[in-house]
Amino acid sequence: MLTDVAPPMPIPGHIDPVPVARTLAPRPDGRVDLIGLSKDQLRAALADTGMDPRQAKLRGKQIWHWLYNRGATEFAQMTDIAKAQHPWLTDRFVVGRPEVVETQVSTDGTRKWLLRSPDAQDYEMVFIPDADRGTLCVSSQVGCTLNCRFCHTGTMRLVRNLTAGEIVGQVMLARDALGEWPSSPEGRMLTNIVMMGMGEPLYNFDAVRDALRLVMDGDGLALSKRRITLSTSGVVPMMARAGEEIGVNLAVSLHAVTKEVRDEIVPLNRKYGIDELLAACAAYPGANNARRITFEYVMLRNKNDSDADARELVRLVKAYKLPAKVNLIPFNPWPGAPYECSTPERIRAFSNIVFEAGISAPTRTPRGRDIDAACGQLKTAAEKKSRAELDRQAEAKLAALG
């Protein structure tokens, strides 16, 4: 079936309007991918293809369990569904996973996957293991439109939004790689999810919301909303909806405390300024001292790292009475980057000022730098290709499949 894509919200930045507005094409074999469908949508898909509605309700519940609790990728694995029905399901449906183009493992154990969609779009996800947790950094778009000057991903063109299936598919692929099926809350390596990969999640709100609802569903992947963090650069009109309709932890890419500097390094600030952004943070549903808002702050030498900047950060947090913590992020360099990382001594001095004011301000240890998997480094080769080249690739792949 064709899925209509809503017109994109007006946003600043470098946008390729053709793929953003494009209607998603059906699979060349006509089958429907069940990954990304809600329970009701899955049941309706079965009924729409001719299954008796009462049977569709039962089969839908069984298939849901196999997809999201057991990690099945083929109907033949679903042992409580009659074998005679497996070919009927296989002819009409598919259990999708992103295509893995390349996997890299850092010396610190961080893993990065380069993934490819059926229409030949590339995107990335990263898994960061720690002693007490394992965090999956998930992408929401192919490319990005925000042009944050310190971020390598921000130098890419926005190609298109990822679907709910492509977003939740990253989590399922990580579970595959880590051997974490059947789904169980005990003994997981993958314990946390951060929507901090490629793209701005709140500019792909519906798909991100639908994917995270699948991740949080107690009958399936069953990851608590307290273990999921959505990061935004400050799309103020969507923040309240995110709190109400998703309800996960909020992280805000602040990175500067003055209009002049934030306008430069986070151009979205020209649309939604610091005061407007912090007012939206203060109103974020569910924010309290037990669920603090995280402010991400990349440390840029002689740009945003002075004692005065630290004191202004403290003033802003206190002025808006924000239950907050600040993650200080040493800048991760990339070829051609216009900034340098603050010195360790400067980062420590900045952190001390914030800590002494009673606000947690730990310094994030860079992970995966050697495989370009650290914060702000994600960037695929897709942006090097023209729109025509990507179309030719997609057409060639469809022709090969059909």
Side-chain angles (χ1 to χ4, degrees):
M1 68 181 71
L2 291 179
T3 303
D4 293 329
V5 177
M9 183 184 300
I11 49 181
H14 190 40
I15 308 168
D16 182 347
V18 177
V20 171
R22 176 181 295 166
T23 299
L24 296 179
R27 290 175 55 89
D29 58 14
R31 295 189 295 171
V32 175
D33 192 343
L34 296 181
I35 297 300
L37 301 185
S38 68
K39 290 177 180 176
D40 288 342
Q41 289 170 333
L42 195 156
R43 183 169 60 248
L46 295 173
D48 288 347
T49 51
M51 185 178 287
D52 176 81
R54 287 181 297 181
Q55 188 182 33
K57 183 176 181 179
L58 172 63
R59 291 289 182 249
K61 185 176 181 180
Q62 292 171 316
I63 292 172
W64 174 276
H65 175 81
W66 279 103
L67 297 182
Y68 294 107
N69 192 281
R70 308 287 296 185
T73 56
E74 297 178 358
F75 295 107
Q77 297 171 303
M78 302 180 184
T79 54
D80 56 355
I81 296 176
K83 288 184 179 180
Q85 200 165 47
H86 292 169
W88 186 91
L89 290 167
T90 301
D91 287 344
R92 292 162 177 78
F93 304 104
V94 64
V95 180
R97 288 288 193 277
E99 175 190 347
V100 177
V101 179
E102 183 181 17
T103 303
Q104 293 176 275
V105 181
S106 168
T107 55
D108 62 25
T110 299
R111 304 189 196 187
K112 182 173 77 170
W113 289 266
L114 173 61
L115 309 175
R116 182 163 296 159
S117 65
D119 61 341
Q121 307 298 346
D122 291 354
Y123 53 103
E124 293 178 329
M125 72 175 189
V126 174
F127 178 70
I128 307 164
D130 282 303
D132 61 342
R133 69 175 61 191
T135 302
L136 186 69
C137 184
V138 175
S139 292
S140 58
Q141 296 179 309
V142 180
C144 190
T145 189
L146 294 183
N147 292 342
C148 297
R149 293 197 69 214
F150 61 86
C151 179
H152 203 196
T153 313
T155 65
M156 296 178 64
R157 297 179 72 91
L158 173 62
V159 180
R160 70 164 173 85
N161 289 331
L162 294 177
T163 66
E166 288 168 331
I167 294 169
V168 75
Q170 294 172 63
V171 182
M172 301 182 77
L173 183 64
R175 282 267 184 93
D176 294 345
L178 296 171
E180 297 202 347
W181 302 109
S183 183
S184 169
E186 303 299 327
R188 288 177 175 169
M189 291 179 64
L190 199 172
T191 61
N192 293 66
I193 290 174
V194 292
M195 295 299 306
M196 296 182 184
M198 295 168 61
E200 164 56 61
L202 295 188
Y203 278 143
N204 187 18
F205 180 83
D206 290 348
V208 168
R209 176 199 59 206
D210 294 349
L212 291 182
R213 284 177 175 174
L214 293 172
V215 171
M216 294 184 288
D217 193 293
D219 294 334
L221 297 175
L223 200 65
S224 167
K225 66 181 180 180
R226 295 182 180 275
R227 291 188 171 274
I228 301 173
T229 299
L230 184 150
S231 177
T232 179
S233 291
V235 185
V236 169
M238 303 302 294
M239 288 170 61
R241 279 190 68 190
E244 292 162 0
E245 298 181 32
I246 307 175
V248 297
N249 301 317
L250 180 69
V252 174
S253 295
L254 186 62
H255 304 308
V257 292
T258 66
K259 173 176 170 53
E260 179 185 10
V261 176
R262 197 164 191 267
D263 279 356
E264 174 189 334
I265 66 176
V266 185
L268 186 64
N269 195 68
R270 300 169 193 166
K271 190 174 182 71
Y272 307 115
I274 293 174
D275 289 322
E276 191 176 358
L277 172 59
L278 296 182
C281 290
Y284 186 74
N288 54 48
N289 286 330
R291 295 187 65 199
R292 293 174 294 175
I293 293 172
T294 299
F295 289 101
E296 308 285 352
Y297 200 97
V298 66
M299 299 299 292
L300 304 175
R301 186 174 184 178
N302 298 327
K303 177 59 65 172
N304 65 353
D305 62 351
S306 68
D307 287 356
D309 289 318
R311 288 191 287 268
E312 176 63 6
L313 176 58
V314 169
R315 187 194 72 79
L316 287 170
V317 169
K318 291 184 177 294
Y320 284 91
K321 300 178 180 178
L322 295 170
K325 79 170 193 175
V326 180
N327 270 349
L328 301 180
I329 307 169
F331 174 62
N332 294 304
W334 37 273
Y339 304 109
E340 296 179 10
C341 183
S342 304
T343 65
E345 295 76 19
R346 181 91 297 270
I347 295 174
R348 190 158 45 247
F350 191 105
S351 176
N352 287 341
I353 291 172
V354 181
F355 263 121
E356 288 168 5
I359 301 167
S360 177
T363 301
R364 182 185 294 174
T365 301
R367 300 290 299 275
R369 272 183 170 175
D370 56 322
I371 57 170
D372 290 337
C375 181
Q377 287 188 315
L378 298 189
K379 183 175 182 179
T380 74
E383 56 86 28
K384 298 178 182 178
K385 303 166 187 172
S386 69
R387 177 71 260 164
E389 286 175 317
L390 290 171
D391 284 341
R392 281 195 296 271
Q393 282 189 0
E395 288 171 4
K397 185 163 187 177
L398 294 181
L401 291 172

